[in-house]
Amino acid sequence: MAQTMEAAVAINTPAKADILEKANAKTWDGLSRMAFAANWDPENAIDWNQPIELGEIKEGWINILHYFYEGEWQGLEIIQRLMNKAAHMFKINEMVTYYSTQCADEAKHLFVFKKYLYRLNSPPAKQRAFDFIVWVSTTSLIPMSVERWILATYFTETMAGAIFQKSLELPAIDPIGKEMIRLQLKDESRHIAGTKLGVQTLMDHSGPIKTFFMKIWWKIFVKLAVKEVRNLKPYGDQVGMDPDYILQRSFAKMAEMDEFTQKFLQDDFCQGFLKAKSA
C-alpha cells in the first residue's frame, strides 16, 4: 500500500509542479498565466465619456491609428492560421494556449481602436493590401511560413511597443488615447516576451542550412519593413514621432537577444540602427 502511494505521489508531483508554476515570461504556460492575470475589459477599463481634443496633430494621429488597426487585423489573422502549425512543428502544445491569449489581446486592441476612431469621426476600414500580406505570410506555396512569421513578429511587436511608449510621452495625445495605449502597451510587453521565446525556440530547432535561408529572408523582410515604417514620417512629423527614432529603439530592443544579434543583426543595414541608437 505504501509503495502504491509513493508511486502515485511520484507520478503526480511533476504535474502538480506544472500546475503551480508562477506566471513568468520564461515558459509558454508562464506567459499564459501572465495574460490571464493582466486581462482587462475594453468597455470598462477606459472612460469613453471623456472629451477628445487633439488640435493640430489630429490628422497625423488618425493616420497612425489606421495603420495600427490594419496591422492588428493582419497580426490576428496570421496568428490564427499559424499557431497550431508552429505548435506541431516544435511539438510544444502550450504554444497554442499562449497564442490564443494573444489572439484575445489583438481582438481587444481592434475593439478599442475601432471605438476610438469612431469617436474621431474616422471609422476604420480593413485594407485589401493587408489581405495580400496575410496570404504571403501564411501560404504553403512559399517555404518556412512558421519561421518567417516568428521572425517577422519579433520586429513588428517590438516596433509596436516602441511606438506605444513614444505615444505616451506626447503631451498632445488626449486622455482616452493615452489610457488606450497604456493598456495595450501592457499587452505588447508580454507579446514581445512571447516573441522572444518564439525566436529562441526557432533558433534552438534550426540547423545551419535552415538558419542560412532564414538570414536571407530576414534581410529582405527587414528592409521592406523599415521602408513601410519610414512611409509614416509625414504623419509622425505631425504628432512629434520620428520613425527613425522608433526604429533605433526597436533594433536596440531586439539586440537584447545575443544569439539573435549574432545571427540576424550583423549586417551593415541593421548595425546602422544599433550604432545610431548608441551614439
Side-chain angles (χ1 to χ4, degrees):
M1 181 68 177
Q3 289 179 340
T4 303
M5 291 179 65
E6 289 175 3
V9 171
I11 292 172
N12 292 330
T13 298
K16 185 177 181 181
D18 180 65
I19 291 171
L20 296 178
E21 176 195 342
K22 294 181 179 179
N24 61 72
K26 296 180 180 179
T27 66
W28 297 107
D29 273 348
L31 283 165
S32 295
R33 288 174 171 83
M34 289 176 68
F36 302 149
N39 192 33
W40 49 276
D41 180 356
E43 287 276 35
N44 299 315
I46 300 170
D47 181 1
W48 293 102
N49 295 318
Q50 300 175 82
I52 300 178
E53 297 291 341
L54 291 170
E56 295 180 355
I57 74 161
K58 184 175 181 179
E59 180 184 355
W61 183 231
I62 285 176
N63 277 282
I64 291 173
L65 289 170
H66 276 286
Y67 176 84
F68 263 102
Y69 183 83
E70 294 159 10
E72 294 285 353
W73 264 116
Q74 174 192 4
L76 179 57
E77 290 192 35
I78 293 173
I79 291 173
Q80 289 176 325
R81 298 183 193 190
L82 292 180
M83 63 183 186
N84 287 330
K85 190 173 181 179
H88 286 291
M89 174 184 292
F90 300 125
K91 296 181 173 60
I92 304 175
N93 295 337
E94 294 77 13
M95 290 181 78
V96 176
T97 308
Y98 165 70
Y99 280 121
S100 295
T101 69
Q102 189 164 329
C103 286
D105 288 339
E106 305 294 7
K108 285 188 300 185
H109 298 180
L110 282 166
F111 182 90
V112 295
F113 274 134
K114 184 176 182 178
K115 190 161 186 172
Y116 183 64
L117 283 166
Y118 267 97
R119 284 290 311 273
L120 297 176
N121 297 315
S122 183
K126 184 167 167 284
Q127 301 297 312
R128 293 180 61 85
F130 280 82
D131 290 334
F132 177 72
I133 292 173
V134 170
W135 180 84
V136 169
S137 300
T138 60
T139 179
S140 59
L141 297 177
I142 303 176
M144 300 194 304
S145 57
V146 168
E147 294 88 342
R148 291 185 287 113
W149 163 55
I150 290 175
L151 288 174
T153 51
Y154 192 31
F155 178 93
T156 55
E157 294 290 352
T158 305
M159 184 197 66
I163 292 178
F164 284 163
Q165 286 177 330
K166 183 61 180 177
S167 298
L168 292 178
E169 299 170 6
L170 300 175
I173 304 300
D174 65 284
I176 292 180
K178 285 203 172 181
E179 185 61 13
M180 176 185 72
I181 295 298
R182 185 186 68 80
L183 289 166
Q184 292 185 78
L185 182 57
K186 291 172 61 178
D187 295 338
E188 289 298 338
S189 298
R190 188 173 59 257
H191 296 175
I192 293 170
T195 359
K196 288 179 70 173
L197 185 56
V199 168
Q200 188 61 61
T201 302
L202 173 60
M203 293 190 296
D204 290 344
H205 287 78
S206 300
I209 295 177
K210 179 180 280 190
T211 300
F212 172 77
F213 286 108
M214 288 194 304
K215 286 180 178 179
I216 293 175
W217 179 84
W218 171 260
K219 288 182 178 181
I220 296 171
F221 163 79
V222 78
K223 289 182 179 179
L224 292 173
V226 165
K227 181 180 178 181
E228 187 71 17
V229 174
R230 283 175 167 164
N231 286 340
L232 294 173
K233 183 171 174 54
Y235 311 125
D237 288 344
Q238 291 177 24
V239 303
M241 186 184 299
D242 178 26
D244 272 77
Y245 171 79
I246 297 298
L247 289 165
Q248 290 164 20
R249 292 182 67 168
S250 300
F251 276 91
K253 185 69 176 177
M254 289 189 290
E256 292 177 2
M257 287 188 73
D258 291 337
E259 185 179 356
F260 181 83
T261 302
Q262 293 302 315
K263 290 182 176 179
F264 296 98
L265 300 180
Q266 291 301 309
D267 61 286
D268 291 341
F269 185 78
C270 295
Q271 283 293 311
F273 292 103
L274 294 174
K275 291 175 182 176
K277 177 65 173 63
S278 60

